[in-house]
């Protein structure tokens, strides 16, 4: 429980309040989630998936390796999504559709490093299968063509290198012939180097020739291995699966939007839900709480529990009314039916003590209607009608209330407030208006609280309006207790005076003496003397003793003439002699 000196600082963003607000408004986000679920399922029927065909192609790469991370397959997927492949497939189909539009209806997916899946959507299953077949054949032809072009380019490069080697070999042969023609003057080292160079060029030309022949053949494994491994086929329409998928997506989106909406509204609307907040804003303690009206099948087996809780709260309020004869009113804020039920229950319990009347000042006359529905014997009158000995007023503090009329319903009031109904500003307005009208709020009955709210709704200020302050005046203390309190008061005053340094003389505080009760006055111990016979002692009439005047001490001065004896010294001593003689005598 909080005291005025220990009032907690309100956090800038209270997560517990946010969670409670989301939990209290679960109907909103559950409704949005249900709407999303229905909308997703409806989309599956209104906008069904178009006919789809799938084909799988195995792609052999010339530079394939086990350590490839899928780069070659991603390249093949990118090549499939080009206008060249789309245009080649459209030419095979004899279609006049543009390649750009056709590319929007198919897609490629690399299943593995060497398997490509082609998915095509069309207006019918036959058309989708034909387009998938055309795309697969066009892609295979393009892939083989690119592989053969690369092999041809490589063969041509090898042939060019062989031609360069043959030209150099011809030059070396010519040098050898010239050197041998010199006869005995020929250089043997030069001939040996030329012979070795001729042999190396001959071997190099032979190698280039074999490599050019192999490159000219191309890559037969690429052409033979790249083929359609799974012929194009139309996918069956999975209505149940599609509907479930779309409904799940719609449910997730609806749930997210509902939670976001509830969270934003909980922060922006600023409607207190916790007991601690409501008691703080209204300036009164929460003395009881009641659940709201049950909805759905739960009211069939929880009705008796709700009625028993309401009667228990009514019994608490009846004890409150019996302690003080002043009329008490029930003012509702968002719970008129609960206030009407509490008023009828209170009137039913107070009927044994006298005539009880319930003053119905609610805008919808809920008390009168409820009394007619339940066939209650309680007298229900209007705001201007005459009431019985005991009167319970029922009114409202909703916007538009006539505040000056509330004092006619009761001198004190109990607020019946529904949690989360009013914002902070209106709660402050209610508390301020009731204070201006001089109507103290005894307590608050909280309707529809959060079951997981563990906050404290008790205030320790306002003892005159709280339930613990009611029930009559505090009894007067006993004489012994009064004396103890006087001793404590005297000790406190003495301690305070001792701590205060004053220039005057300090006196002990006067303790009031309580005279004892005297039944028979006692006579004085000795008779009093007659008037005029009592005299004053002689020592009290003696004159005041004379004291010699205080002579100021001499102060040295820098002048010599000031250290000399004054010339009137004899005159001063002569004047003091009579006084000294009088003192001696």
């Amino acid at each position: 429980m909080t005291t005025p000196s220990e009032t907690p600082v309100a956090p800038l963003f209270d997560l517990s309040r946010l969670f409670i607000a989301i939990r209290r408004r679960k109907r909103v986000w559950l409704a949005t989630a249900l709407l999303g679920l229905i909308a997703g399922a409806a989309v599956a029927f209104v906008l069904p998936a178009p006919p789809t065909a799938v084909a799988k192609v195995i792609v052999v790469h010339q530079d394939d390796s086990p350590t490839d991370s899928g780069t070659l397959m991603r390249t093949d997927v990118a090549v499939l999504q080009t206008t060249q492949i789309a245009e080649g497939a459209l030419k095979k189909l004899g279609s006049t559709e543009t390649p750009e539009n056709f590319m929007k209806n198919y897609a490629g997916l690399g299943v593995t490093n060497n398997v490509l899946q082609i998915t095509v959507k069309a207006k019918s299953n036959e058309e989708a299968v034909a387009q998938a077949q055309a795309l697969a054949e066009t892609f295979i032809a393009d892939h083989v063509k690119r592989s053969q072009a690369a092999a041809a380019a490589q063969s041509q490069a090898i042939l060019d290198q062989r031609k360069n080697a043959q030209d150099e070999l011809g030059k070396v042969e010519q040098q050898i012939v010239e050197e041998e023609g010199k006869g005995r003057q020929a250089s043997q080292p030069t001939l040996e180097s030329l012979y070795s160079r001729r042999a190396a060029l001959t071997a190099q030309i032979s190698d280039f020739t074999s490599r050019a022949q192999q490159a000219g053949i191309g890559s037969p494994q690429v052409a033979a291995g790249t083929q359609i491994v799974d012929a194009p086929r139309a996918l069956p329409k999975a209505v149940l699966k599609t509907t479930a998928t779309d409904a799940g997506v719609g449910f997730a989106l609806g749930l997210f939007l509902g939670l976001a909406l509830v969270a934003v509204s909980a922060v922006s609307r600023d409607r207190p839900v916790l007991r601690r907040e409501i008691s703080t804003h209204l300036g009164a303690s929460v003395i009881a709480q009641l659940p709201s009206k049950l909805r759905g099948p739960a009211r069939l087996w929880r009705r008796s529990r709700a009625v028993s809780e309401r009667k228990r709260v009514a019994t608490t309020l009846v004890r409150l009314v019996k302690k003080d004869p002043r009329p008490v009113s029930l003012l509702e804020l968002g719970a008129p039916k609960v206030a009407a039920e509490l008023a009828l229950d209170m009137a039913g319990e107070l009927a044994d003590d006298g005539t009880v009347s319930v003053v119905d000042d609610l805008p919808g006359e809920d008390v009168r209607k409820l009394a007619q529905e339940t066939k209650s014997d309680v007298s229900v009158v209007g705001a201007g009608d005459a009431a019985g000995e005991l009167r319970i007023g029922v009114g409202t503090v909703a916007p538009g209330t006539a505040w000056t009329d509330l004092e006619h319903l009761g001198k004190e009031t109990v607020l019946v407030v529904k949690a989360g109904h009013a914002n902070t500003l209106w709660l402050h307005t209610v508390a301020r208006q009731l204070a201006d009208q001089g109507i103290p709020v005894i307590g608050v009955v909280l309707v529809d609280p959060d079951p997981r709210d563990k906050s404290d709704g008790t205030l320790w200020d306002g003892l005159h309006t709280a339930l613990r302050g009611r029930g009559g005046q505090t009894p007067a203390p006993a004489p012994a207790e009064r004396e103890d309190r006087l001793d404590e008061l005297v000790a406190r005053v003495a301690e305070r005076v001792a701590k205060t340094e004053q220039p005057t003389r300090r006196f002990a505080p006067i303790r009031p003496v309580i005279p004892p009760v005297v039944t028979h006055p006692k006579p004085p111990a000795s008779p009093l003397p007659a008037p005029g016979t009592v005299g004053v002692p002689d020592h009290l009439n003696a004159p005041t003793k004379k004291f010699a005047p205080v002579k100021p001490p001499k102060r040295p001065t820098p002048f010599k003439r000031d250290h000399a004896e004054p010339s009137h010294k004899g005159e001063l001593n002569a004047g003091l002699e009579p006084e000294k003689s009088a003192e001696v005598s």
Side-chain angles (χ1 to χ4, degrees):
M1 287 178 284
T2 59
T3 60
S5 60
E6 298 178 357
T7 303
V9 180
L12 190 62
F13 188 76
D14 195 353
L15 289 178
S16 61
R17 178 183 175 186
L18 178 62
F19 292 154
I20 290 176
I22 292 176
R23 186 166 57 248
R24 286 176 58 84
R25 300 191 65 189
K26 60 183 177 182
R27 294 185 183 90
V28 176
W29 49 267
L30 285 178
T32 56
L34 182 60
L35 289 177
L37 179 67
I38 297 174
V43 168
F45 288 97
V46 176
L47 300 175
T52 306
V54 175
K56 291 183 179 179
V57 179
I58 184 169
V59 183
V60 178
H61 303 95
Q62 187 174 0
D63 299 330
D64 198 0
S65 63
T67 59
D68 182 43
S69 60
T71 305
L72 298 176
M73 181 52 64
R74 287 195 294 270
T75 303
D76 294 335
V77 172
V79 171
L80 182 65
Q81 297 285 345
T82 57
T83 56
Q84 181 180 355
I85 302 297
E87 186 176 0
L90 290 175
K91 287 181 179 180
K92 282 189 175 185
L93 294 172
S95 175
T96 59
E97 187 180 2
T98 59
E100 290 77 9
N101 293 335
F102 182 55
M103 284 192 299
K104 298 178 182 178
N105 297 329
Y106 71 88
L109 176 64
V111 180
T112 63
N113 289 347
N114 296 99
V115 177
L116 174 64
Q117 177 177 309
I118 302 174
T119 306
V120 183
K121 296 180 180 180
K123 297 180 180 180
S124 62
N125 292 332
E126 294 77 9
E127 186 177 355
V129 170
Q131 291 179 359
Q133 183 70 27
L135 279 171
E137 293 177 354
T138 304
F139 175 78
I140 292 174
D142 180 78
H143 182 71
V144 173
K145 181 180 178 180
R146 285 187 287 108
S147 177
Q148 291 178 353
Q154 184 179 4
S155 175
Q156 184 62 38
I158 295 174
L159 291 177
D160 293 341
Q161 292 178 358
R162 189 186 65 175
K163 183 177 182 304
N164 294 334
Q166 289 176 351
D167 294 343
E168 186 177 357
L169 179 60
K171 293 179 181 179
V172 171
E173 291 286 350
Q174 182 66 27
Q175 291 178 1
I176 292 174
V177 171
E178 292 178 355
E179 191 66 28
E180 288 179 349
K182 293 180 181 180
R184 295 180 178 180
Q185 296 179 356
S187 176
Q188 294 298 326
T190 303
L191 288 175
E192 290 179 0
S193 63
L194 291 175
Y195 291 152
S196 61
R197 179 59 180 167
R198 183 177 62 182
L201 289 175
T202 303
Q204 190 174 8
I205 291 172
S206 177
D207 181 51
F208 284 154
T209 302
S210 60
R211 289 174 56 189
Q213 291 177 356
Q214 293 178 358
I217 297 174
S219 300
Q221 69 275 13
V222 174
T226 303
Q227 58 183 348
I228 300 175
V229 294
D230 191 359
R233 55 186 176 85
L235 295 178
K237 292 184 178 181
V239 179
L240 183 60
K241 182 179 179 181
T242 305
T243 304
T245 303
D246 294 347
V249 173
F251 177 81
L253 291 178
L255 181 62
F256 174 76
L257 292 177
L259 290 175
L261 178 63
V262 170
V264 171
S265 62
V267 175
S268 60
R269 292 171 67 185
D270 189 21
R271 295 191 175 185
V273 177
L274 302 178
R275 288 194 296 266
R276 178 184 66 249
E277 297 176 343
I278 293 177
S279 62
T280 302
H281 296 316
L282 289 176
S285 300
V286 177
I287 59 177
Q289 62 184 22
L290 287 173
S292 61
K293 185 178 179 181
L294 299 177
R295 298 181 178 88
R299 59 184 176 181
L300 298 178
W301 62 82
R302 295 184 60 185
R303 180 177 179 83
S304 59
R305 179 181 177 184
V307 172
S308 62
E309 290 182 0
R310 191 187 69 221
K311 289 186 177 297
R312 179 179 56 81
V313 175
T315 303
T316 302
L317 299 180
V318 165
R319 296 194 190 101
L320 176 65
V321 173
K322 287 183 177 180
K323 289 183 179 180
D324 198 329
R326 291 180 295 179
V328 177
S329 63
L330 298 178
L331 301 180
E332 65 84 21
L333 183 58
K337 294 184 179 180
V338 177
E341 292 173 352
L342 283 176
L344 291 180
D345 292 341
M346 292 174 60
E349 294 188 15
L350 290 173
D352 300 336
D353 299 340
T355 305
V356 183
S357 299
V358 178
V359 180
D360 187 5
D361 196 26
L362 293 175
E365 297 184 352
D366 295 280
V367 181
R368 194 182 303 274
K369 294 178 181 178
L370 184 61
Q372 293 176 358
E373 292 177 1
T374 58
K375 298 179 181 181
S376 177
D377 298 334
V378 178
S379 175
V380 181
V381 298
D385 300 337
E389 298 177 0
L390 296 178
R391 183 180 63 182
I392 301 175
V394 183
T396 180
V397 288
T401 301
W403 302 103
T404 55
D405 296 340
L406 297 180
E407 61 180 356
H408 301 290
L409 297 177
K411 300 301 181 181
E412 296 178 335
T413 184
V414 175
L415 294 178
V416 183
V417 182
K418 184 176 181 181
H421 177 74
N423 55 16
T424 303
L425 179 61
W426 186 250
L427 293 179
H428 288 180
T429 302
V430 171
R432 185 173 61 251
Q433 291 291 345
L434 293 177
D436 292 343
Q437 297 299 322
I439 304 175
V441 181
I442 301 174
V444 178
V445 177
L446 189 61
V447 180
D448 192 18
D450 186 80
R452 299 184 182 179
D453 181 16
K454 304 301 181 182
S455 62
D456 187 10
T458 305
L459 298 180
W460 280 100
D461 52 353
L463 182 62
H464 61 287
T465 60
L467 289 178
R468 63 183 183 278
R470 297 175 60 85
Q473 300 293 333
T474 305
E481 185 179 356
R482 292 177 57 189
E483 292 183 2
D484 294 342
R485 291 187 178 180
L486 287 176
D487 294 340
E488 184 180 357
L489 178 62
V490 170
R492 289 182 180 179
V493 173
E495 182 181 0
R496 185 175 300 177
V497 172
K499 291 182 179 180
T500 307
E501 295 294 337
Q502 299 180 358
T504 59
R505 185 177 180 183
R506 290 176 289 183
F507 297 92
I510 300 176
R511 175 181 176 184
V513 179
I514 302 176
V517 180
V518 181
T519 56
H520 301 286
K522 296 181 179 180
S526 60
L528 298 176
T533 59
V534 179
V536 181
D538 296 338
H539 66 277
L540 296 178
N541 294 329
T544 306
K545 186 177 182 180
K546 297 181 181 179
F547 296 93
V550 180
K551 182 178 180 181
K554 296 181 180 180
R555 296 180 179 179
T557 59
F559 302 100
K560 294 182 179 181
R561 59 184 179 83
D562 293 335
H563 294 279
E565 293 292 332
S567 58
H568 54 276
K569 180 177 180 182
E571 299 177 359
L572 291 176
N573 293 336
L576 294 177
E577 286 297 332
E579 296 181 0
K580 293 181 179 180
S581 61
E583 292 179 2
V584 172
S585 61

